[in-house]
Amino acid sequence: MRDNTLKYLLVLPAVLVVFATAVWPLIESLRLSFTVGRLNRPGSLDQYLGWENFTWAFSQEPAFWNSVWVTTVYTFLTVALTTVLALGLAMLLAPGGRFRSGVQTLLILPFAMSPALIGVSFRFMFNPEFGLFDAFFGVIIPPLADVSWLADPVLAFAVCVMADVWGWIPFLTLVLIGGLASVPQDTIEAAQVDGASGWRVFRDITLPQLAPVLAVVIILKSIFSLKTFDQIFMLTNGGPGTATQTLSHYIYFNGMKYGQIGYAASVAWLMVIPMIFLTYAYAKFVFRKN
Amino acid sequence: MAEVTLKNLTKRWGDFIGVDNQSLEIHDKEFLVLLGPSGCGKTTTMRMIAGLEDPTDGEIRIGDRVVNDDLPRDRDVAMVFQNYGLYPHMTIFDNIAYPLRVRGTPKNEIEPRVRKAAEQVELTEFLHRKPKALSGGQRQRVALARAIVRTPKVFLMDEPLSNLDAKLRVTMRAELKHLSRALKITTIYVTHDQIEAMTLADRVAVMKNGIIQQLGTPDEIYNDPANLFVAGFIGSPAMNLINGSVQDGHFVTTGGTKLVRVAAPDSPSVVLGVRADDMRVAEEGEGDLDVRIYAFENTGEATLLTVQWGKQRVIAKGDRHLRKDQDDIVSVSLDSDHLYLFDPETGDRIKR
Ligand SMILES: Nc1ncnc2c1ncn2[C@@H]1O[C@H](COP(=O)(O)OP(=O)(O)O)[C@@H](O)[C@H]1O
Ligand SMILES: [Mg+2]
């Protein structure tokens, strides 16, 4: 009995810290999402508004729908590109792959960089006057020589996707190398002897056995893509216009720039819906029985 | 027609030699066993034949064709892996059907052929299951069925029975033998188990350190071993190897006991090989040499007597009704028709 009391006492500080830094803000933000919640209007933080913030987002805000669309396309593209490229790289770098060497360690470098730093460095690279990529693309694709990348809505979006894919490939590659290493080599060799071509071995043997790892990778990356903020903030700040404004950026803008903290909180809670789906799927894959 | 011919086959990894310049002809429809201790290069040899490993040197022929540059799938062989290499995400049916599917067998032929292969290994009830839901022996049968569902030029089997428990191994051994007689396809079979080799093989190639020590029928390997290694490796219990010399046409132990007539020139140092079966055990004083029993074992079908012979211990097989005890004295006699002499330096057999 005494032992148990001590046990709980020792855990208590940690529980309190988690409550103060995670649970309470969460509850508070949920409460705020039902209030007028203007930072510049005293008392509005307690002014109950019902569901109006939510209906406002759906019915009166093209910018909200724009950010939903941007986030969706951004998530889809970054997840697809990162996964496919990382899988290709993992196949080449995995044990028994073609290019196994010290390259692996180099690969981790982009992942060690903070997203904000990636944003800043890509911004420099695409600078029209002294950007390395800007000059590089200008040379290999001459029609692109005079464009100002970050000023064009489509190209700016492309640069955002590129920066994200570049930053995430290493991590996904490492995870997939681990996944590939767990595919038994003798199943692959058996298929080769059975008469399968390289492509059939990949499709029939490797991919199905890699599927659980691949699913986890895709779900995780989707969660991270949905949340993207710091990189976009440093790279384009949502612009030009709202061409690269993701939901997180939209929330930030409304809450911090316009002071509409109640409205921002309600949009943030809307984002929770896809997150719950993805987290549920993730948990199902990671903790599934054997 | 599918004989397999290895010519000066070599596999090196850096300085390490896995298979050392070996040549071997495997006849059409022959069951050849590669036998040797773990690490002697059996699997490597087989993998080179399958195309899963590139030879450093030498030539591999299957039928009339040099296959060195062919991919595994173009060699028309079927392989049973030591750990079976079943596809865990496919049902047993799909596992067995896979070689047919990837080779473009017409759809309507697949089902009957899979069923026939499954019948041959008595697996028909499990076709809808996944490999995980099968026992070791059943998985082994799936691997076998997957190999026999086609009619390849050559079967390659890498220790297919080694993951089974002792009893199942004996049953499966007989089934394998039955199956191989029925199928009549050239088979190369790798094992470290000399009983498997003796019972299954038309011919055995005994390997050590990447080199084939002797190639012959099980009878030849057993009755006429080419060197000390083969003599010691084949047979259970292992052949007794006794150090001594040849003086005046007699074998003399290092202890100085003049033992038995041998037809060999005098030599200061030889090894005498004699199988436990070829020693007669008699009551004290009634044989060639009286010895003290170090251990007495009764296996049910026979008795094994480990006896102290000077500084060495020697195993003799006695009648199954013999009853003796530790430290009893018995007399053993050697059958001079079944003695083998070896050169201790080179290990080579000294022929009379
Ligand atoms: N890929 C490899 N690289 C280096 N050495 C290897 C490799 N594969 C096998 N060997 C070595 O070659 C020798 C023969 O191996 P193997 O053919 O698997 O023996 P076994 O007769 O037991 O089947 C072993 O000593 C093994 O360690
Ligand atoms: Mg082996």
Side-chain angles (χ1 to χ4, degrees):
Chain A
M1 276 296 122
R2 257 183 307 138
D3 273 352
N4 269 342
T5 324
L6 181 65
K7 213 160 63 185
Y8 291 125
L9 264 177
L10 287 173
V11 181
L12 192 64
V15 172
L16 285 179
V17 168
V18 170
F19 188 84
T21 58
V23 181
W24 186 77
L26 220 62
I27 295 170
E28 179 64 7
S29 76
L30 187 61
R31 190 190 67 77
L32 277 175
S33 68
F34 291 99
T35 66
V36 174
R38 294 236 173 193
L39 283 180
N40 57 359
R41 216 189 286 161
S44 68
L45 293 185
D46 297 317
Q47 210 173 329
Y48 184 67
L49 203 56
W51 290 93
E52 203 165 306
N53 279 329
F54 295 92
T55 49
W56 177 266
F58 284 122
S59 56
Q60 307 290 323
E61 275 278 315
F64 167 74
W65 287 113
N66 172 69
S67 66
V68 168
W69 173 246
V70 167
T71 308
T72 309
V73 176
Y74 179 84
T75 301
F76 181 78
L77 279 179
T78 52
V79 169
L81 283 173
T82 317
T83 309
V84 169
L85 292 174
L87 182 57
L89 266 176
M91 297 280 291
L92 293 177
L93 291 169
R98 257 164 248 213
F99 296 101
R100 191 168 166 76
S101 62
V103 200
Q104 264 183 28
T105 11
L106 262 181
L107 246 181
I108 195 71
L109 199 64
F111 190 63
M113 283 168 73
S114 81
L117 189 58
I118 293 177
V120 175
S121 54
F122 266 71
R123 190 171 179 163
F124 270 112
M125 305 260 219
F126 282 98
N127 185 296
E129 267 145 52
F130 49 80
L132 182 67
F133 283 3
D134 189 84
F136 175 71
F137 280 113
V139 171
I140 56 166
I141 314 171
L144 290 179
D146 290 329
V147 298
S148 179
W149 283 79
L150 297 178
D152 180 283
V154 175
L155 291 182
F157 186 78
V159 171
C160 288
V161 169
M162 231 187 281
D164 183 82
V165 169
W166 183 82
W168 276 97
I169 277 182
F171 178 63
L172 263 61
T173 304
L174 287 182
V175 173
L176 289 175
I177 286 176
L180 283 173
S182 68
V183 174
Q185 189 63 24
D186 59 359
T187 61
I188 290 169
E189 291 179 344
Q192 288 171 346
V193 175
D194 279 349
S197 61
W199 162 246
R200 294 279 319 242
V201 173
F202 176 73
R203 197 195 74 184
D204 300 342
I205 310 299
T206 311
L207 209 51
Q209 294 190 80
L210 194 62
V213 176
L214 211 51
V216 167
V217 159
I218 289 172
I219 293 166
L220 263 188
K221 178 63 187 116
S222 302
I223 292 175
F224 285 120
S225 284
L226 278 176
K227 297 198 305 189
T228 307
F229 172 74
D230 28 12
Q231 206 162 292
I232 300 258
F233 181 71
M234 297 308 288
L235 185 49
T236 61
N237 201 12
T242 53
T244 59
Q245 184 166 58
T246 58
L247 260 171
S248 307
H249 193 268
Y250 176 76
I251 293 165
Y252 160 80
F253 241 63
N254 276 281
M256 298 297 149
K257 265 242 149 83
Y258 303 155
Q260 299 176 337
I261 203 77
Y263 176 65
S266 60
V267 177
W269 272 93
L270 283 176
M271 250 183 93
V272 166
I273 296 167
M275 289 294 189
I276 285 177
F277 271 111
L278 286 168
T279 313
Y280 173 73
Y282 176 77
K284 225 179 120 174
F285 268 104
V286 171
F287 302 114
R288 85 207 147 103
K289 286 192 204 107
N290 96 74
Chain B
M1 291 295 274
E3 52 278 334
V4 177
T5 313
L6 312 180
K7 208 153 116 196
N8 302 109
L9 196 63
T10 300
K11 179 72 193 184
R12 258 180 265 126
W13 290 279
D15 287 340
F16 183 82
I17 301 175
V19 176
D20 192 1
N21 196 23
Q22 294 306 292
S23 298
L24 181 61
E25 263 183 55
I26 299 140
H27 307 143
D28 186 32
K29 300 191 178 65
E30 180 177 36
F31 198 114
L32 182 112
V33 173
L34 284 176
L35 172 69
S38 170
C40 71
K42 310 178 297 283
T43 298
T44 306
T45 306
M46 170 161 287
R47 288 171 58 82
M48 286 193 283
I49 298 170
L52 296 170
E53 201 87 63
D54 283 330
T56 316
D57 239 317
E59 192 181 272
I60 302 167
R61 272 170 189 279
I62 297 177
D64 303 328
R65 189 179 159 77
V66 176
V67 297
N68 282 47
D69 296 329
D70 289 354
L71 288 171
R73 66 184 148 116
D74 298 325
R75 298 194 181 192
D76 197 11
V77 301
M79 184 156 171
V80 177
F81 290 74
Q82 183 167 1
N83 297 314
Y84 315 139
L86 301 183
Y87 311 131
H89 55 292
M90 295 186 194
T91 61
I92 302 309
F93 184 95
D94 290 335
N95 263 280
I96 302 175
Y98 194 69
L100 300 177
R101 293 212 171 110
V102 287
R103 286 176 194 272
T105 311
K107 274 217 161 56
N108 56 344
E109 278 181 34
I110 290 179
E111 164 117 25
R113 283 176 68 177
V114 170
R115 292 210 173 275
K116 184 170 167 237
E119 253 162 52
Q120 279 174 295
V121 297
E122 293 164 24
L123 258 182
T124 32
E125 317 151 54
F126 305 113
L127 286 175
H128 59 280
R129 288 202 199 167
K130 294 267 178 76
K132 218 187 308 173
L134 297 189
S135 70
Q138 290 163 339
R139 285 181 209 181
Q140 205 279 334
R141 286 161 202 262
V142 179
L144 212 55
R146 190 174 62 184
I148 63 175
V149 74
R150 287 192 321 118
T151 310
K153 287 195 186 127
V154 184
F155 281 132
L156 302 173
M157 305 193 185
D158 190 356
E159 314 222 11
L161 305 183
S162 67
N163 283 349
L164 305 181
D165 61 59
K167 203 170 161 196
L168 198 54
R169 198 147 53 200
V170 175
T171 334
M172 281 308 294
R173 203 170 67 204
E175 292 192 21
L176 252 178
K177 177 133 195 175
H178 182 85
L179 203 59
S180 79
R181 288 291 182 274
L183 294 169
K184 293 197 180 65
I185 289 178
T186 313
T187 303
I188 302 171
Y189 184 105
V190 160
T191 182
H192 65 267
D193 181 325
Q194 45 112 6
I195 310 245
E196 266 172 44
M198 295 296 287
T199 50
L200 290 170
D202 293 323
R203 282 193 306 161
V204 182
V206 185
M207 279 185 89
K208 179 195 172 193
N209 295 341
I211 296 171
I212 295 173
Q213 306 289 313
Q214 186 174 3
L215 175 65
T217 63
D219 277 341
E220 286 164 358
I221 299 270
Y222 188 86
N223 294 322
D224 197 11
N227 59 31
L228 264 177
F229 176 78
V230 177
F233 198 75
I234 307 286
S236 172
M239 184 186 283
N240 295 299
L241 299 169
I242 304 159
N243 292 311
S245 56
V246 179
Q247 292 167 22
D248 307 328
H250 282 78
F251 177 79
V252 181
T253 63
T254 35
T257 316
K258 196 173 191 178
L259 204 57
V260 61
R261 275 196 77 81
V262 289
D266 284 10
S267 159
S269 176
V270 296
V271 175
L272 176 76
V274 55
R275 294 199 187 279
D277 288 356
D278 297 328
M279 287 203 267
R280 225 159 16 82
V281 181
E283 294 301 324
E284 184 174 356
E286 292 174 11
D288 294 347
L289 188 72
D290 288 347
V291 286
R292 184 178 296 276
I293 295 178
Y294 177 79
F296 179 85
E297 295 164 283
N298 179 7
T299 65
E301 59 192 306
T303 52
L304 292 177
L305 295 83
T306 307
V307 299
Q308 193 73 39
W309 191 318
K311 292 193 190 80
Q312 279 182 295
R313 285 185 196 134
V314 167
I315 297 183
K317 203 179 251 185
D319 187 87
R320 72 190 182 101
H321 298 299
L322 185 71
R323 290 294 174 272
K324 288 288 170 193
D325 216 338
Q326 199 164 312
D327 294 328
D328 288 353
I329 307 285
V330 290
S331 184
V332 297
S333 318
L334 305 185
D335 179 349
S336 55
D337 289 341
H338 294 100
L339 297 178
Y340 309 92
L341 285 175
F342 302 94
D343 181 330
E345 296 293 317
T346 63
D348 288 342
R349 177 92 173 270
I350 303 167
K351 295 255 186 175
R352 47 191 88 186

